[in-house]
Amino acid sequence: MSHATTIQSSEFLTAVKHRRSYYGIGNKKVVSEERIQEIVGEGVLHTPSSFNSQSARVLVLFGQHHEKLWSITTETLRKIVPADQFDSTQQRMNGFAAGYGTILFFECEAVVEGLQQKFPTYKDNFPLWSLQSNGMLQYVVWTALELEGLGCSLQHYNPLIDDEVRSAWNVPKEWKLIAQMPFGNPTQQPGDKSFEPLEERMKVYR
């Protein structure tokens, strides 16, 4: 079966080029919660995974749930960051909490372990492949949300917050937290981005 496309690769690559990390975000309603849910759901459904394992899981947090996540993260970090260095950490947490919502990305370890048992030849590869797939999902969602006018960044406060997140939202024990993506309307633009020479990173043989 052929899969006809209605977009050009140039359109897709334009979106790829414009995706950036936005650390200044607000909670202005740029698009509806329903639209954000739809975008994340499409990403979950259509991002490829090894052996079509579909091991990715997500939580989408809005409102008080979003704020609670960053309160949990703040208080967790308060216990380990020296008091005289905490101001910058607090400002960073306040910046994430100021957004419109946060997406939590997980991998279902039960799915990965099931594949390891079923296909022992690839046992060592399945955890790596699941992370690769989750990274693709993060990128799909990130880029799609930016096309809707939202700014996002990717954070990794796991495993420090894992237990409290599991308790707060009744997360199944098989779900392993991989990343957190706060998003909102951009309140400041990202800085310039530098690039290493392409000829040092890409080789072509004809």
Side-chain angles (χ1 to χ4, degrees), residues 4-44:
T5 181
T6 57
I7 65 170
Q8 300 293 318
S9 61
S10 58
E11 295 178 76
F12 171 72
L13 290 173
T14 296
V16 168
K17 286 186 231 181
H18 283 278
R19 186 227 45 85
R20 296 294 305 278
S21 293
Y22 285 82
Y23 296 103
I25 54 175
N27 62 3
K28 179 181 177 182
K29 188 176 181 179
V30 177
V31 293
S32 69
E33 293 180 2
E34 290 75 20
R35 177 58 179 155
I36 293 168
Q37 179 180 338
E38 180 183 17
I39 289 170
V40 176
E42 290 289 295
V44 171

Side-chain angles (χ1 to χ4, degrees), residues 35-108:
R35 177 58 179 155
I36 293 168
Q37 179 180 338
E38 180 183 17
I39 289 170
V40 176
E42 290 289 295
V44 171
L45 284 176
H46 298 292
T47 298
S49 58
S50 64
F51 289 65
N52 196 30
S53 59
Q54 303 177 56
S55 55
R57 305 288 186 268
V58 297
L59 291 184
V60 184
L61 306 179
F62 294 108
Q64 64 179 358
H65 295 283
H66 158 73
E67 294 170 2
K68 182 175 182 177
L69 172 74
W70 295 108
S71 176
I72 286 172
T73 307
T74 299
E75 295 312 311
T76 299
L77 293 174
R78 194 186 303 276
K79 298 172 184 176
I80 60 175
V81 176
D84 61 348
Q85 300 174 24
F86 194 71
D87 282 351
S88 61
T89 299
Q90 182 73 70
Q91 291 175 19
R92 193 178 311 117
M93 296 300 104
N94 291 346
F96 298 144
Y100 190 54
T102 303
I103 302 161
L104 304 184
F105 295 88
F106 301 80
E107 278 293 303
C108 181

Side-chain angles (χ1 to χ4, degrees), residues 156-167:
H156 301 89
Y157 291 101
N158 46 290
L160 294 174
I161 62 173
D162 288 19
D163 290 341
E164 288 203 60
V165 165
R166 184 173 291 111
S167 175

Side-chain angles (χ1 to χ4, degrees), residues 124-176:
D124 294 338
N125 297 98
F126 283 118
L128 175 62
W129 290 340
S130 79
L131 291 177
Q132 291 173 345
S133 178
N134 203 283
M136 286 190 279
L137 171 60
Q138 295 163 29
Y139 190 79
V140 166
V141 171
W142 192 346
T143 306
L145 289 180
E146 188 162 319
L147 286 173
E148 296 286 334
L150 292 163
C152 310
S153 69
L154 195 65
Q155 305 302 318
H156 301 89
Y157 291 101
N158 46 290
L160 294 174
I161 62 173
D162 288 19
D163 290 341
E164 288 203 60
V165 165
R166 184 173 291 111
S167 175
W169 289 283
N170 196 28
V171 176
K173 62 182 177 59
E174 297 85 5
W175 292 20
K176 181 178 181 180

